[in-house]
């Protein structure tokens, strides 16, 4: 279901994607059960970028909801659980929380806020994944070996970036379409890491 949303975000033909969605609803009982959640706006059927009447206020609410969902998913974890990397293909929760935060800091705040100061310049190395243009990064297989930043520091980083994003959005008066697209990419990215 999220892959449909991702395709919409990246400009796939909406009519074709809607047909795929309809076929999936008809043929898959699990997808049919999602209709109720879709009706309750628990899941987005289309990207906010495609909805012409999407307001900045709605974008802010979507940002808060998805960012909070990551935190809610981590509620059962103990501090030790945040650093475990059981296999090389599974990064620790601490890294996911920092990486999705880094995306918003790096690609929105640093790009749009002229006097923005990075929370910690070293985080670019730790939380970059495969963005070659963004510099060196820790190898995926070693993410569980990093004891710093601590879990508390990662949560403080998320809080800082979220506050900065909300302050930025509150005063933003540029092109909503351009900004909405970037934020939506970041939100889809966050959902992929959930």
């Amino acid at each position: 279901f999220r892959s449909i949303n991702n395709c919409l975000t990246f400009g796939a033909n909406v009519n074709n994607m809607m047909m795929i969605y309809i076929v999936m609803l008809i043929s898959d009982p699990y997808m049919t059960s999602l209709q109720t959640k879709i009706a309750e706006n628990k899941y987005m059927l289309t990207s906010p970028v495609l909805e012409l009447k999407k307001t900045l206020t709605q974008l802010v609410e979507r940002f808060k909801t998805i960012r909070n969902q990551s935190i809610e998913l981590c509620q059962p974890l103990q501090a030790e659980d945040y650093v475990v990397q059981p296999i090389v293909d599974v990064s620790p929760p601490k890294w996911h929380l920092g990486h999705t935060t880094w995306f918003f800091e790096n690609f929105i705040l640093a790009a749009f806020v002229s006097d923005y100061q990075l929370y910690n310049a070293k985080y670019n190395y730790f939380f970059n994944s495969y963005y070659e243009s963004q510099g060196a990064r820790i190898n995926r297989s070693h993410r569980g070996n990093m004891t710093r930043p601590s879990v508390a520091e990662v949560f403080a980083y998320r809080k800082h970036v979220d506050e900065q994003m909300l302050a930025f959005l509150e005063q933003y008066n540029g092109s909503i379409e351009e900004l909405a697209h970037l934020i939506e990419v970041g939100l889809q990215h966050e959902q992929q890491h959930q």
Side-chain angles (χ1 to χ4, degrees), residues 16-70:
N16 288 346
M17 294 312 298
M18 293 304 292
M19 290 304 295
I20 291 170
Y21 172 71
I22 291 166
V23 168
M24 289 171 67
L25 283 178
I26 293 168
S27 62
D28 186 343
Y30 175 73
M31 291 299 292
T32 303
S33 71
L34 290 176
Q35 288 176 332
T36 304
K37 290 182 180 180
I38 291 167
E40 297 170 354
N41 287 325
K42 301 273 185 190
Y43 296 96
M44 294 297 296
L45 179 56
T46 62
S47 166
V49 175
L50 298 176
E51 297 176 7
L52 298 176
K53 296 183 180 181
K54 189 58 89 175
T55 66
L56 190 55
T57 302
Q58 290 168 314
L59 186 61
V60 166
E61 288 307 311
R62 182 164 159 72
F63 175 83
K64 289 178 187 178
T65 299
I66 291 172
R67 294 286 286 164
N68 287 334
Q69 185 176 7
S70 294

Side-chain angles (χ1 to χ4, degrees), residues 167-186:
F168 164 65
L169 292 171
E170 185 176 298
Q171 59 79 36
Y172 185 74
N173 60 7
S175 167
I176 188 66
E177 290 81 15
E178 177 186 1
L179 183 62
H181 177 74
L182 288 172
I183 291 174
E184 181 61 21
V185 169

